[in-house]
Amino acid sequence: FPEMLSNPRLVPVERTLNVVMNQNVSLSCHSDAGSPPVRYTLFKRNQKVSTLNRPDLTPGLFNFTINSASDVGEYKCKAENNISSGGKYSNSLNFTLIEPISKPVLSSPTSQAKKGQNVTLSCLSENGSLPITYVFFKGRQNISPPVKMHKREAAVIFLFINSSSDFGTYKCRAENSFRNNTKYSNGFNFTLTEERSHSQPLIISLGLIVLLFIIGFVLAIPFFIIPSYKASE
């Protein structure tokens, strides 16, 4: 006896929904039970994309290319046979477009520091699919656990400048789910700020006082010499 079709299952043949631009993808639409022949129709955002006819219960394979961001919308398929009324619809699938990350930029609010000072380092990739994971380094040694950012914001770490060895070259690394796309930042170095001696301001102040005294003395000379000269005449 003719049998109605079961609800079809729509699955990615590559077993992942993460895609890159210009990638070829395949979707399989399959009803496990029902009387053949079967007609499979693929929809993208409720718009018909393609139709396939199968004489038996083998899956319908839909092949297409991700050409733009609009190609990662919602997909569904419909299965119909000679006795189905309106057909049966599958689950929905949504592709995620993966974009490679750009080279991260490592920066700090200040490029000068002194011993005993707290400083910050920020690492940011302007482009690339989220989330992005950042790791900070000094030389070749990592100085932070992985920092995963789910927003387009910089990863920030706080450092304490304790010795001269803390003035080495810093870098950061960024990566996301795009395969083989790890990027390293520019190098960043803090410049040691020399601390002024506590006696230096005192010396400067004394020098100014002496200079003002000399200027005052020179300006006062005419007031003493001229009256004395007139008194002697």
Side-chain angles (χ1 to χ4, degrees):
F1 294 93
E3 182 183 357
M4 292 187 63
L5 293 170
S6 60
N7 285 85
R9 291 182 296 110
L10 185 64
V11 296
V13 175
E14 293 83 4
R15 297 185 180 181
T16 178
L17 292 174
N18 293 333
V19 294
V20 298
M21 199 68 72
N22 301 318
Q23 179 178 334
N24 296 319
V25 296
S26 297
L27 292 178
S28 171
C29 185
H30 184 216
S31 287
D32 295 324
S35 299
V38 183
R39 181 169 64 253
Y40 294 108
T41 303
L42 182 68
F43 294 87
K44 182 181 70 175
R45 296 193 183 96
N46 298 321
Q47 297 293 320
K48 184 186 294 186
V49 176
S50 182
T51 299
L52 297 172
N53 293 304
R54 289 289 180 264
D56 48 29
L57 291 179
T58 57
L61 295 178
F62 297 94
N63 303 305
F64 53 96
T65 303
I66 302 296
N67 291 315
S68 66
S70 62
D71 292 330
V72 297
E74 182 187 59
Y75 288 86
K76 284 186 177 182
C77 72
K78 180 173 71 172
E80 302 171 279
N81 62 3
N82 294 332
I83 65 168
S84 61
S85 176
K88 295 292 185 69
Y89 284 88
S90 72
N91 54 295
S92 61
L93 293 179
N94 283 276
F95 289 104
T96 299
L97 186 62
I98 302 299
E99 180 186 3
I101 55 176
S102 58
K103 180 179 179 179
V105 176
L106 184 65
S107 61
S108 176
T110 178
S111 61
Q112 295 184 333
K114 59 186 178 181
K115 294 179 182 178
Q117 181 178 342
N118 292 307
V119 294
T120 61
L121 282 174
S122 301
C123 186
L124 175 65
S125 287
E126 291 286 351
N127 299 303
S129 303
L130 298 171
I132 299 177
T133 300
Y134 298 95
V135 178
F136 292 83
F137 295 84
K138 185 169 74 70
R140 295 185 177 181
Q141 182 180 3
N142 63 308
I143 57 173
S144 76
V147 181
K148 181 174 286 189
M149 302 300 295
H150 294 271
K151 295 182 179 180
R152 189 72 61 189
E153 297 176 349
V156 179
I157 63 168
F158 300 89
L159 301 173
F160 179 71
I161 302 299
N162 190 43
S163 64
S164 299
S165 62
D166 295 327
F167 290 91
T169 300
Y170 292 88
K171 284 188 176 184
C172 67
R173 183 184 71 201
E175 57 187 0
N176 62 2
S177 56
F178 194 95
R179 292 181 180 178
N180 303 319
N181 189 235
T182 298
K183 295 289 182 65
Y184 285 86
S185 73
N186 54 294
F188 186 91
N189 291 77
F190 290 103
T191 302
L192 177 61
T193 302
E194 295 293 339
E195 297 186 15
R196 292 184 177 181
S197 173
H198 294 292
S199 61
Q200 187 176 1
L202 179 60
I203 295 174
I204 295 174
S205 299
L206 291 175
L208 289 174
I209 293 173
V210 172
L211 180 61
L212 291 174
F213 178 79
I214 294 173
I215 293 173
F217 179 76
V218 171
L219 293 176
I221 289 176
F223 295 97
F224 291 100
I225 294 177
I226 293 174
S228 301
Y229 176 77
K230 289 182 177 180
S232 63
E233 287 183 347

